[in-house]
Amino acid sequence: VKAETLATVGAVSSETAAQMAEGARRLMKTDLAVSLTGIAGPDGGSDEKPVGLVWFGLATKDGVRTEKAIFRGDRAKGNLVRNVTFDGITFSVSGYRLPQSLFTCQGAFKIDASVEARGAENLAFRDCTFVHTGGYGLWFAKGVRHSEVRRCRFRELGSGGIRIGDRSWTKDEQAHPELLTGFVTVDNCILSDGGKQFPAGEGVVLTHAADCAITHNEICNFYYTGISAGWTWGYAPTVTRRNLIAYNH
């Protein structure tokens, strides 16, 4: 990508996506090349370029075209990201900038993930790899429902593997159970070698989530818990219920 392009329109732009795709096609000597650049979040967005903004580039012998999409859901407002599948993709080498003072607490609760989803429906990760992450690998946060992670590999993780559910569930939200993260399946995955930077990271953790299934997974070489469910202290009611955890090793 040309330096002046980055200086004038930034890394997340149609021009950058186009130059990335064309450069890849030229260097690899292929018939076509695909590129993407975006604002992954959770911070770093603006009014012009919000978190969830993605530019796609496609370069062929006939030229280059770009497409813009915003993947940012809010179930409470009725804005959902729907029917997105990631198949055979490797997500690798994401850093985590350490603040001057950080207490990660139990389960590396305050640590974000390399790939995060909110307000999503029918989201699927199949045969993907998450490797060399700064924090957790994948996080289905607030409002993600009817989604799945199948046959994926998580390894060399800065924290844990998969988070399901948001950090909190307020009294006001309790009146709207349809907003709760739920009906998430994690099946036939291998999660290993976590806690490289935050030892309290867990293989799979369900905080505030219901009706999920964690099945047929191999989880090993973590410093803390392999699978954890529930994030309510004492004997207060919890929304984390009806979750199936079976046939994991």
Side-chain angles (χ1 to χ4, degrees):
V1 178
K2 297 177 181 179
E4 57 265 31
T5 300
L6 297 176
T8 55
V9 296
V12 182
S13 62
S14 173
E15 293 85 349
T16 297
Q19 291 178 26
M20 289 171 63
E22 180 55 33
R25 192 182 80 90
R26 183 178 64 253
L27 290 172
M28 302 304 294
K29 299 180 180 179
T30 60
D31 292 331
L32 61 86
V34 177
S35 68
L36 63 87
T37 176
I39 308 291
D43 302 314
S46 65
D47 292 339
E48 182 182 1
K49 297 181 180 182
V51 171
L53 169 65
V54 178
W55 277 101
F56 297 89
L58 173 63
T60 69
K61 62 181 179 61
D62 297 321
V64 184
R65 58 175 293 186
T66 60
E67 291 287 344
K68 174 185 176 181
I70 297 179
F71 297 97
R72 184 169 180 84
D74 187 333
R75 186 173 289 273
K77 296 180 180 179
N79 300 324
L80 297 179
V81 177
R82 300 178 185 268
N83 307 322
V84 180
T85 297
F86 299 88
D87 195 336
I89 296 177
T90 295
F91 302 90
S92 65
V93 191
S94 62
Y96 189 95
R97 182 174 297 177
L98 291 172
Q100 293 182 349
S101 177
L102 176 65
F103 175 60
T104 62
C105 77
Q106 183 178 355
F109 185 65
K110 297 182 180 181
I111 304 303
D112 298 320
S114 296
V115 179
E116 300 183 2
R118 290 173 175 82
E121 187 92 11
N122 296 325
L123 185 65
F125 291 83
R126 299 170 185 157
D127 301 296
C128 293
T129 298
F130 298 77
V131 60
H132 297 142
T133 66
Y136 273 83
L138 175 63
W139 185 8
F140 285 164
K142 186 169 292 183
V144 178
R145 295 170 71 85
H146 301 285
S147 297
E148 63 180 41
V149 185
R150 295 186 186 274
R151 303 181 303 277
C152 290
R153 181 76 165 91
F154 295 76
R155 61 183 176 86
E156 299 295 332
L157 308 165
S159 183
I162 302 173
R163 296 185 60 163
I164 303 172
D166 212 36
R167 290 191 174 100
S168 64
W169 185 250
T170 66
K171 290 184 178 180
D172 292 338
E173 290 171 322
Q174 291 176 11
H176 301 280
E178 71 279 2
L179 304 181
L180 180 68
T181 299
F183 301 97
V184 171
T185 297
V186 178
D187 182 71
N188 201 21
C189 296
I190 300 176
L191 304 95
S192 68
D193 304 296
K196 298 296 185 180
Q197 194 160 347
F198 304 102
E202 300 171 308
V204 180
V205 54
L206 296 91
T207 50
H208 303 282
D211 302 291
C212 299
I214 314 300
T215 55
H216 305 104
N217 302 290
E218 179 177 321
I219 303 173
C220 60
N221 293 340
F222 285 84
Y223 297 102
Y224 196 51
T225 306
I227 300 175
S228 176
W231 198 260
T232 301
W233 288 101
Y235 297 98
T238 176
V239 294
T240 305
R241 58 188 70 175
R242 299 184 303 274
N243 293 300
L244 173 65
I245 300 174
Y247 304 109
N248 300 287
H249 177 72

